[in-house]
Amino acid sequence: MSEDKQKNRVALVRSAVRSLRAYAVPDAGDMIKLDAMENPYQWPDDMIRGWQDRIRTVAMNRYPDSRSRALAESIREAGLVPDGCPLLFGNGSDELIQMIMLSVGGRGRKVLAPVPSFTMYEMIARITGTEFIGVPLRDDFDLDFAAMIAAVREHDPAAVVLAYPNNPTGNLFNRDAIIELIAECNGLVVIDEAYHIFSSATFIDDLDRFDNVVVLRTLSKLGLAGIRLGYMTAPKELLAEFDKVRLPFNINVLTQLTAEFALQHFNVFLEQAERICRERKRVERIMDSLDNITPYPSEANFVLFRCGDCEAEEVYQGLLQHQILIKNLHSPGTALQNCLRATVGKMHENEAFLNALSLLVTTDYSLQ
Ligand SMILES: *Cc1c(COP(=O)(O)O)cnc(C)c1O
């Protein structure tokens, strides 16, 4: 085919899509991987054997249960949601965000979120033809309440999306501010609790009080990033609408069965989460003692930190030289200027990271 013809084909793609950049996922190779908020721990051997026994029984020739009913039961039994709480599942909570925006977004509609926050909110808004309104957080990364209220009044968004705790900053927004915001919104308030397991707070027990709140959860950060499973709850009339944009068999049999099995061993994951939280506190403390490094308090399984006199880009590259992959969030002139984000890994991984970091910030920079 000629080049011109090929160009015409690409022009078929909506400009909102053409103007996006594909979500980039770096290849970690053999590096210590502290970039993606994964749980670093494996399952105990006997648990793996139990899972293998179950997986042998799967009817791979059949479509999965479209409603994932047994899985919903396992989530309730693990105590993750209150009794009677209706659930809808997604291929990761990313897909749930997409389902919500497909439902309430589109031409002439807006979604609003604080920035910096999870980048997929804006990306999915743009893909679904929804205008994205970003409202800057305060310097301490809490909500700028006055600015949020003003923006909600001005734009009347179909949905406000709040990550609780927030990614990439790690903090919990002020709860009273969120509750006032919920009262102020005509639209939905989507509370994305991807990191609830590491945090002291949740809105899952408060849903009875509101008719416009949606809570999103995922098993990814808990330790099951590989199976892609998110769940959400909302008033059941709303969930029934979201269910219409869900593709019928979005949760495959292996994911359903694996998640059910894992949730029957939920204590294993709770203990891992506790270990991760203990490690997080240790990592924060050590980072805090380093010259030129300012860690931000985290309620999640990662730590955002700002490099002082040194360049974040050079620190990031230096860590790569040490075979350590974290996330570079540096963007000049933004709230994340000179900021990097490190996931909490196993103790020896964190040690390698902290040793390399301290070497980089002391030898390379502060002595200059
Ligand atoms: C990681 C993350 C998600 C996506 O989780 P998946 O279930 O893996 O798609 C959603 N929201 C926030 C805030 C996240 O950090």
Side-chain angles (χ1 to χ4, degrees):
M1 205 185 296
S2 77
E3 221 168 272
D4 270 1
K5 249 189 174 166
Q6 207 56 281
K7 263 202 195 116
N8 288 339
R9 296 288 183 267
V10 172
L12 290 171
V13 176
R14 284 184 294 120
S15 62
V17 174
R18 272 184 284 135
S19 68
L20 292 171
R21 250 191 295 160
Y23 191 86
V25 181
D27 181 5
D30 290 333
M31 281 190 277
I32 293 180
K33 191 171 184 313
L34 302 176
D35 65 328
M37 281 78 93
E38 291 146 328
N39 174 337
Y41 301 111
Q42 292 287 348
W43 296 4
D45 284 345
D46 57 340
M47 193 169 146
I48 292 176
R49 278 193 295 274
W51 170 74
Q52 285 171 328
D53 287 344
R54 287 282 293 281
I55 220 81
R56 258 191 272 280
T57 68
V58 173
M60 226 71 111
N61 53 323
R62 301 290 181 196
Y63 282 106
D65 175 11
S66 173
R67 317 206 58 86
S68 305
R69 280 165 295 200
L71 176 54
E73 210 39 54
S74 306
I75 287 189
R76 293 198 185 94
E77 275 168 14
L80 282 163
V81 298
D83 279 346
C85 174
L87 293 171
L88 200 59
F89 295 96
N91 187 349
S93 51
D94 287 348
E95 192 184 44
L96 297 172
I97 298 164
Q98 188 184 54
M99 281 159 57
I100 293 168
M101 292 200 193
L102 283 171
S103 302
V104 304
R107 193 201 293 255
R109 305 287 189 97
K110 299 175 183 179
V111 298
L112 185 149
V115 285
S117 189
F118 188 43
T119 54
M120 289 307 289
Y121 304 150
E122 179 168 5
M123 182 123 172
I124 295 171
R126 290 171 66 178
I127 289 168
T128 58
T130 312
E131 187 180 341
F132 179 82
I133 311 288
V135 179
L137 292 171
R138 304 189 320 201
D139 287 346
D140 65 356
F141 294 136
D142 201 351
L143 291 177
D144 183 338
F145 182 61
M148 287 295 283
I149 293 285
V152 164
R153 290 188 181 151
E154 181 187 344
H155 296 284
D156 194 22
V160 172
V161 191
L162 302 172
Y164 188 80
N166 190 37
N167 172 13
T169 58
N171 57 313
L172 287 167
F173 299 138
N174 181 299
R175 193 179 181 82
D176 294 334
I178 294 178
I179 290 170
E180 283 192 53
L181 206 57
I182 293 170
E184 188 68 34
C185 284
N186 299 316
L188 305 177
V189 176
V190 179
I191 300 179
D192 178 351
E193 298 191 344
Y195 300 95
H196 76 98
I197 205 79
F198 308 106
S199 141
S200 53
T202 172
F203 276 85
I204 203 96
D205 300 312
D206 301 299
L207 288 170
D208 291 346
R209 297 165 56 190
F210 312 112
D211 59 11
N212 59 338
V213 172
V214 180
V215 173
L216 304 183
R217 295 274 187 84
T218 175
L219 299 192
S220 295
K221 313 297 158 60
L222 178 70
L224 293 166
I227 68 170
R228 311 296 303 130
L229 186 77
Y231 58 95
M232 74 167 144
T233 185
K236 63 178 188 309
E237 297 78 8
L238 256 177
L239 271 198
E241 296 302 320
F242 297 153
D243 198 23
K244 296 175 190 173
V245 304
R246 182 176 65 88
L247 295 175
F249 302 106
N250 61 329
I251 312 299
N252 72 69
V253 281
L254 298 175
T255 292
Q256 289 192 30
L257 193 134
T258 304
E260 280 165 47
F261 178 84
L263 290 165
Q264 285 156 9
H265 298 77
F266 191 53
N267 269 341
V268 171
F269 297 94
L270 279 181
E271 278 162 25
Q272 292 178 345
E274 277 165 23
R275 264 164 95 177
I276 291 167
C277 287
R278 281 197 299 274
E279 265 299 282
R280 173 188 76 206
K281 292 194 186 104
R282 199 177 67 84
V283 168
E284 282 178 322
R285 223 171 29 242
I286 295 173
M287 278 180 147
D288 210 21
S289 72
L290 296 178
D291 287 340
N292 284 321
I293 295 293
T294 310
Y296 289 92
S298 170
E299 295 256 353
N301 63 342
F302 58 85
V303 181
L304 178 80
F305 61 99
R306 202 184 295 272
C307 304
D309 294 336
C310 46
E311 294 292 328
E313 182 65 40
E314 289 178 40
V315 173
Y316 175 75
Q317 294 298 336
L319 289 168
L320 287 178
Q321 298 292 313
H322 283 85
Q323 296 294 303
I324 294 157
L325 179 65
I326 64 169
K327 178 83 174 178
N328 185 1
L329 295 162
H330 170 64
S331 173
T334 70
L336 295 176
Q337 173 148 342
N338 272 332
C339 282
L340 301 172
R341 185 191 67 200
T343 303
V344 177
K346 290 182 180 169
M347 191 186 240
H348 74 90
E349 297 174 319
N350 303 330
E351 281 305 295
F353 158 64
L354 291 165
N355 287 337
L357 182 67
S358 97
L359 218 63
L360 287 162
V361 296
T362 48
T363 42
D364 289 352
Y365 303 99
S366 63
L367 297 181
Q368 279 175 9

